[in-house]
Amino acid sequence: MTQDALIDVNPETGPRKRRGFVGPHVAQWLADQTRHIQAERCRRCRADVLRGLDDMWAAGPIEVDPTPLSALGEALALLAGRRTIACEHWHGLRFTRRGRWQITSRPAGTFRGDVYASHLCGAPALPSIPSNFAKPVVDDDLPGAPPPF
């Protein structure tokens, strides 16, 4: 057997190009596109939810209630058996699960990100706080607008 037979070389055109190869830049772009958090409705109860992928390495689909929790709300969610998930800016908006280290070192409402409870159909509302993310820019905030003082 010759080497040409092993690597599939055509004598007229040279080696065959690999199909299906995804370069690192394409793989990163694809990963960024598939981790977007979207506002949707629950398929069972039709309540508003945020849907996206959690964690960085073992991403799985997750639905959370769209109301940011206070520290008390996070404690009540954990007592009810619901997971808590942080939404942070890390190369875009990302969901990350909160474990005991994140909960004790950065309680809900004390860092630049929001904490949400995993969605449970028919669950009562939990204590919440306003979002920690920067407010969207409106016309009054643009350059040339009158100062607020």
Side-chain angles (χ1 to χ4, degrees), residues 41-49 51 63-65 82 117-125:
R41 293 203 179 264
C42 176
R43 294 180 181 135
R44 284 176 244 115
C45 67
R46 306 297 300 162
D48 292 332
V49 295
R51 184 174 289 135
E63 291 180 345
V64 298
D65 291 334
R82 297 166 70 179
S118 59
H119 178 67
L120 181 63
C121 295

Side-chain angles (χ1 to χ4, degrees), residues 12 50 114:
E12 295 176 8
L50 297 176
D114 290 334

Side-chain angles (χ1 to χ4, degrees), residues 9-22:
V9 174
N10 185 340
E12 295 176 8
T13 59
R16 188 180 76 176
K17 292 183 180 178
R18 290 179 63 182
R19 291 190 179 182
F21 175 72
V22 178

Side-chain angles (χ1 to χ4, degrees), residues 102-121:
Q102 292 86 5
I103 293 169
T104 56
S105 65
R106 298 180 341 168
T110 61
F111 65 98
R112 286 199 52 90
D114 290 334
V115 175
Y116 299 100
S118 59
H119 178 67
L120 181 63
C121 295

Side-chain angles (χ1 to χ4, degrees), residues 16-35:
R16 188 180 76 176
K17 292 183 180 178
R18 290 179 63 182
R19 291 190 179 182
F21 175 72
V22 178
H25 63 285
V26 176
Q28 181 61 44
W29 176 84
L30 184 61
D32 290 341
Q33 295 303 313
T34 57
R35 291 185 181 273

